[in-house]
């Protein structure tokens, strides 16, 4: 399994930001309220980041040769890390698109801006933790120079 590419991260974030901006603009243009971001999303994303790093730590120790961990645990952590990268990009992108929409308005709700910033912060924490966990779950190359399958 390969690491998540930077292109995937950037494109996912930008597409989600465009979607968040477009949905809020369409709703406001139709005279309806925009979609509010729940205030707990950022906190939950930060919590998931902590749990992911806690589950990835034993895998890191195993890769370094200091501990035994089952392959199911290691592959589960890797799959969770890869999924968390995409979730972080989608939610962070959506929040940044919503924030951009809010900042283009004449009257801005401070609560909505704060919720968008908290969501973006939690998404960035999850993104960093997921990329860290993903790198911890990668096996080092074999002694003959071939990369692991």
């Amino acid at each position: 399994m390969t690491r998540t590419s930077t292109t995937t991260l950037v494109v996912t974030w930008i597409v989600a930001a465009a979607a968040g901006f477009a949905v809020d603009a369409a709703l406001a243009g139709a005279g309806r309220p925009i979609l509010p971001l729940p205030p707990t999303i950022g906190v939950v994303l930060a919590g998931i980041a902590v749990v992911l790093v806690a589950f990835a730590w034993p895998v890191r120790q195993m890769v370094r040769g200091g501990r035994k961990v089952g392959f199911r645990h290691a592959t589960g952590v890797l799959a969770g890390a890869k999924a968390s990268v995409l979730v972080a990009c989608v939610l962070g992108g959506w929040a940044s698109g919503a924030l951009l929409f809010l900042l283009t308005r004449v009257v801005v709700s401070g609560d909505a801006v704060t919720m968008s910033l908290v969501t973006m912060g939690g998404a960035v924490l999850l993104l960093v933790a997921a990329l860290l966990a993903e790198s911890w779950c990668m096996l080092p190359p074999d002694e003959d120079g071939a990369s692991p399958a």
Side-chain angles (χ1 to χ4, degrees):
M1 193 176 283
T2 61
R3 292 187 176 164
T4 306
S5 70
T6 307
T7 306
T8 301
L9 301 176
V10 171
V11 168
T12 303
W13 191 287
I14 290 172
V15 168
F21 185 91
V23 167
D24 282 346
L27 288 172
R32 304 181 129 223
I34 63 170
L35 293 175
L37 292 169
T40 56
I41 285 182
V43 176
V44 169
L45 292 176
I48 293 170
V50 169
V51 170
L52 185 61
V53 168
F55 281 145
W57 183 257
V59 178
R60 178 178 188 262
Q61 297 300 327
M62 179 197 67
V63 169
R64 292 178 140 196
R67 193 172 186 179
K68 295 284 184 189
V69 175
F71 73 92
R72 288 188 177 141
H73 176 81
T75 54
V77 171
L78 181 59
K82 289 189 107 25
S84 293
V85 164
L86 294 176
V87 167
C89 285
V90 168
L91 291 177
W94 186 280
S96 61
L99 180 65
L100 183 63
F101 175 77
L102 289 171
L103 295 179
T104 61
R105 304 291 101 201
V106 176
V107 178
V108 178
S109 168
D111 289 342
V113 170
T114 302
M115 287 186 273
S116 293
L117 287 172
V118 168
T119 301
M120 283 177 49
V124 168
L125 281 174
L126 180 59
L127 180 62
V128 169
L131 290 173
L132 183 66
E134 188 178 298
S135 71
W136 285 352
C137 292
M138 295 294 171
L139 292 174
D142 291 336
E143 293 174 7
D144 61 358
S147 75

